Amino acid sequence: LEEAKEISEFHGELRHYQRRGLAWMQFLAKVGLGGCLADDMGLGKTATTLAHLIERPGPHLVVCPLSVVHNWEAESHRFTPGQTVIVHHGSGRHQGEPALFGLADADIVITTYGLLPRDLDALGQIDWTTVVLDEAQMVKNASTKAAKAVRKLRAAQKIALTGTPVENRLSELWAILDACNPGLLGSQQRFREQYATAIERHSDPEVTARLRQITQPFVLRRTKADRRLLPDLPDKIEQIAYAQLTREQAALYQKIVDQLLADAKDLEGMQRRGRVLAALTRLKQVCNHPAHALKDGSRLVGRSGKLNRFDELVDELFDLGERALVFTQFREMGDLLQRHVNERFAVDAPFLHGGVSAAGRQRMVAEFQAGEGSPLLLVSLKAGGTGLNLTAASQVIHYDRWWNPAVEDQATDRAWRMGQQRTVNVHKLVCQGTVEERIGQVIDEKRAIADAVVGTGEAWLTELSTDDLAKLVVLE
C-alpha cells in the first residue's frame, strides 16, 4: 500500500502505518466498499479514521460503546477542530423529524450501540457518507438488536474498527464483514459450510488460504509485535480511558465540593491548606468507588463508573492474552480491586504494597515475570513506583491519577524499560467532568514545565484561590 498524506485541515501527524491505513480506506471508498481496520489496541485507529472522514463531505456517523463517546468527541475536537460534531445521546438529544435536519447537517454524529436500535427511525432516514463501527466486536453476533440496526443504516461506506483479533472466531469475522459489505461472504449458513467447519474443525490449509485471499482486501490488521512493519512506533502509548460517575458517586461528590468551597472561603493558612488537600483526596476516592470513600465494606459491582470501565479494559486484555500492571495510590483501593478481580474474573491477583515483605515482593515479581499465575499484578504507586523490573507487562492501568506527572511516569516505567520487547500501552482512568479530568488537563499543559511549577507533591493545589479551586472541582 502506498501512503496517503493527511490534509492540512487535519491537526496532527499520522505515522507511516496510519498513512497506509488512510490510503486503504480511501481506496475502498473510491470503489464503494467497506472494510475492517483491525489494528492492535493503541495504534491510533481513531486518528486514522478522522483523517479519512475529514476528506469526505459529511454527514458521518460514529457508532460506539457509551464508554468511548467522550473519547471520540475529544479526539474530533483535537484532530479535526473545523468539523461540527454532535453527540446524539442522552435525554436532551434531537428526536423526531426536525432532528434529521440538525443531524444531517453535522459533519460527525456520535451515537451508541444501545441507542441506535431505539432511534433507528431518525438515524435510518439519513444518507450517511460513512458509518464507523468502533469496537466492532459489539456487532460480532449478527442476531443482536445493535447488529440488525447497523445493517439498516444507509451509507456510502461502512468501516469497522476493532482491536481484538477477528481471525480466531470465524462467525465473528463473517458478522463484522457482512455488516460492512453485505453479501460479500454469502449467507451465514453458506459461510459455515464453505469455510468455518473446514477451518475450525479440520484446520484445512487450502480453505484457510482461500478465505484469507477473499477477505484480505477488506481487513487491515497490524500488530505491535511486528517491528518490521512499525519501526517508527513509540515504545509507549498513553491513552485516557474516560468513565462517567454513577448517580451515587455524583451525589457524594457534590456534597464534598459544597463543603470544600464553603471552608476554603472561611479558612486561611495551614488550616485552609489541610482542608483543601483532605477534600481533594476525598474527591479522588469518590471517583474511584463509593465503597472506597465511605470505607464501609459495601458491595462493589454496579456502583462506580470507573470500576465498570476498568472491567471493560481487563476483559479486552484477557481476550488478547496480555499481562497488565494496575497502579493505585491508595492501599484500601488496591484491597478492593483485589477482592473485585477475584469475584468478577475469578483471578487471584497479587497486590504489591508497602506492607509486603521483601521476600514476598521478590516472589510476586518473579512469578509475574515468568508469566505464571495471575495476568494482573496490583501495585500501590508508592511501593512499586521505583526499582522494580516488570517487563512481562505490555499494559499498564493507572486506576487513579497521581497529581504529579513524574511519579506516574516512574510507575509506568516499571514495564517500559530495557528488556521490554513490546510496545507498552498505558491507560489512565479518569472520571469525566470531575476534578480528575480538570487536573489531568492542567498537568498535560504543564508537563514541560511540570517540575518547576507543580513540584513533586500536591502542594500547588492547596495554594489556589477559591475561584480557581472552584473551576477545578465543580461537576460539569
Side-chain angles (χ1 to χ4, degrees), residues 236 327 381-382 384-388 398 402 404-417:
K236 178 166 71 169
F327 286 103
L381 201 58
K382 281 281 177 63
T386 50
L388 293 177
H398 286 283
W402 186 255
N404 163 14
V407 177
E408 211 170 62
D409 290 344
Q410 263 179 346
T412 296
D413 293 350
R414 300 310 92 223
W416 183 55
R417 56 188 311 165

Side-chain angles (χ1 to χ4, degrees), residues 6 12 14 21 79 84 107 115 140 149 191 263 307 346 352 377 382 392 402 410 432 451 455 457 468:
E6 59 278 18
L14 294 182
F79 291 116
T84 53
D107 293 311
L115 192 62
K140 67 188 179 187
F191 178 76
D263 290 348
L307 192 65
L352 197 158
L377 176 61
K382 281 281 177 63
W402 186 255
Q410 263 179 346
Q432 201 180 317
D451 290 339
D468 285 342

Side-chain angles (χ1 to χ4, degrees), residues 73-294:
E73 191 182 10
E75 300 276 276
S76 315
H77 292 319
R78 180 176 152 205
F79 291 116
T80 56
Q83 302 276 284
T84 53
V85 180
I86 292 180
V87 173
H88 181 72
H89 191 266
S91 54
R93 68 184 184 274
H94 304 286
Q95 277 170 317
E97 287 303 317
L100 301 183
F101 305 108
L103 295 176
D105 292 338
D107 293 311
I108 299 174
V109 176
I110 305 167
T111 193
T112 66
Y113 287 105
L115 192 62
L116 180 64
R118 285 190 299 192
D119 278 13
L120 192 62
D121 286 352
L123 297 170
Q125 281 183 54
I126 298 173
D127 287 310
W128 303 100
T129 308
T130 321
V131 167
V132 177
L133 307 172
D134 189 21
E135 305 287 351
Q137 60 280 12
M138 302 287 280
V139 296
K140 67 188 179 187
N141 176 347
S143 58
T144 60
K145 277 186 192 156
K148 285 178 178 160
V150 159
R151 285 174 160 69
K152 290 188 179 137
L153 291 171
R154 297 201 299 259
Q157 184 182 37
K158 288 183 183 173
I159 290 176
L161 310 176
T162 176
T164 18
V166 282
E167 302 106 27
N168 46 7
R169 299 188 193 87
L170 291 177
S171 61
E172 295 174 11
L173 177 66
W174 177 86
I176 291 172
L177 282 178
D178 193 67
C180 298
N181 295 311
L184 173 76
L185 296 173
S187 70
Q188 195 162 9
Q189 191 184 347
R190 198 171 137 240
F191 178 76
R192 203 175 304 127
E193 288 162 3
Q194 276 192 309
Y195 300 104
T197 310
I199 295 171
E200 287 175 342
R201 293 219 184 121
H202 314 297
S203 310
D204 186 318
E206 252 170 71
V207 181
T208 307
R210 197 163 73 231
L211 179 62
R212 186 172 299 128
Q213 203 175 356
I214 293 172
T215 57
Q216 209 162 15
F218 306 103
V219 180
L220 184 59
R221 171 152 177 78
R222 278 83 58 92
T223 68
K224 291 173 305 199
D226 188 348
R227 287 289 177 167
R228 281 193 329 269
L229 180 69
L230 309 173
D232 55 339
L233 186 66
D235 289 329
K236 178 166 71 169
I237 298 168
E238 307 204 15
Q239 298 154 326
I240 301 285
Y242 290 104
Q244 270 150 338
L245 295 182
T246 58
R247 284 215 177 108
E248 181 189 6
Q249 281 176 299
L252 283 170
Y253 186 101
Q254 190 60 52
K255 219 165 107 183
I256 297 166
V257 168
D258 293 343
Q259 188 62 56
L260 165 64
L261 295 179
D263 290 348
K265 236 184 6 245
D266 299 339
L267 299 173
E268 48 192 51
M270 283 305 287
Q271 216 182 354
R272 180 182 187 276
R273 285 201 284 272
R275 192 65 56 88
V276 168
L277 211 47
L280 289 171
T281 302
R282 291 266 298 152
L283 290 177
K284 274 189 187 179
Q285 294 171 341
V286 169
C287 289
N288 276 355
H289 199 290
H292 181 195
L294 302 167

